[in-house]
Amino acid sequence: MASTKTFKLNTGADIPALGLGTWQGDPTLLKDAVITALKAGYRLIDTAYCYGNEEHVGAALKEAFDQGIVKREEVFVVTKLWATYTSRAEEGLEKSLKNLGLGWVDLFLVHWPLLMNPEGNDDKFPKLPNGERDILRDYSHIQIWKNMEKLVESGKTKAIGVSNYSKRYLEELLPHATIVPAVNQIENHPQLPQQEIVDFCKEKGIHIMAYSPFGSTGSPVTSAEPVVKIAEKHGVKPTTVLLSYHLARGSTVLPKSTNPERIKANAELIELDAEDQKLLSEYSEGLVKEGKLCRYVYPPFGVDFGFPDKS
């Protein structure tokens, strides 16, 4: 079900419901992982300049194309503009295309809405003498989006979007946007439903892509009582329930793994019924009321991005 299901973007393009996430993927295993995923039916691969693995993803795609496993137009490739390149989006996109060995990507996202010093002491993580991130705090995220909009005419990305955008940041951005973001990629799972963002994006025609659907390594999301209960009911693993949760919400989900068996297992999703969805919603709502939401990915930028649990 998951490997063939798609959603419609505001550009008119179809985006797969299931994608392979590659963040923190072991580079020595990543090429084989991407090929395994494509053979298992995945048709979306998500990477980023900051991950330092675009070359490995590119090598896997080339091999898959050369062997006839898939054609280029059958794979939805996503990468992201890193924070040291947000003032020079064209250069950032060119670097990613070169790394990937591609003439175009299907979706290019603003990775985080800020500018780190492009002339700082490191290409990806420039720091100040006191060890803090070297951030140009007067550079507007609205200007970052204006830089992104210029890329669409080139044909080098079919669509543009954002990542890690709160409702507040989107409300600031949209009145100034000529192009509405096609996607907002956010951390999303029952312990961090971010319902206010999901609902707002739905209203504005912005598709949600969910990363870290299991929380993080060793996180308690997989052992949460309602997740386990639903898994037992359907005779599946808790991870299957957590991935299926996003399909029920109309979102694309990005499980990450370099383990061949897990990659295949993550593609075997189920349809959650109304009772399942209610159980998970009530669990999430309870955490919101108790102030017990868990956000597992939040780099130490020292910036208030407008998320209620972090503001």
Side-chain angles (χ1 to χ4, degrees), residues 1-103:
M1 170 185 154
S3 61
T4 56
K5 186 175 176 64
T6 60
F7 298 109
K8 191 70 76 176
L9 295 179
N10 61 21
T11 60
D14 291 323
I15 185 170
L18 176 74
L20 181 73
T22 63
W23 182 46
Q24 294 180 325
D26 183 335
T28 60
L29 303 174
L30 196 57
K31 183 183 166 188
D32 287 344
V34 171
I35 291 170
T36 297
L38 293 171
K39 285 180 176 175
Y42 288 69
R43 290 296 177 265
L44 186 156
I45 307 296
D46 177 82
T47 183
Y49 179 71
C50 179
Y51 300 169
N53 64 20
E54 286 174 321
E55 295 96 332
H56 301 282
V57 171
L61 290 171
K62 183 180 186 304
E63 191 168 307
F65 302 153
D66 289 348
Q67 290 182 7
I69 297 166
V70 286
K71 295 173 185 170
R72 168 65 189 96
E73 56 271 21
E74 293 172 336
V75 186
F76 197 102
V77 181
V78 184
T79 195
K80 307 177 193 78
L81 179 69
W82 183 236
T84 43
Y85 286 87
T86 45
S87 60
R88 44 194 176 133
E90 190 176 355
E91 187 182 339
L93 177 56
E94 289 291 350
K95 279 200 163 196
S96 286
L97 289 174
K98 188 180 177 187
N99 289 340
L100 289 162
L102 298 175

Side-chain angles (χ1 to χ4, degrees), residues 135-169:
I135 296 168
L136 303 187
R137 295 178 186 272
D138 57 350
Y139 199 84
S140 165
H141 71 90
I142 293 162
Q143 182 56 52
I144 293 171
W145 186 249
K146 291 291 175 192
N147 301 339
M148 291 285 284
E149 288 182 330
K150 292 173 188 170
L151 302 175
V152 178
E153 288 177 18
S154 72
K156 291 179 179 178
T157 180
K158 303 288 185 188
I160 53 173
V162 295
S163 188
N164 302 301
Y165 256 66
S166 65
K167 180 173 181 270
R168 190 180 92 199
Y169 264 51

Side-chain angles (χ1 to χ4, degrees), residues 41 131 249:
R249 281 159 74 85

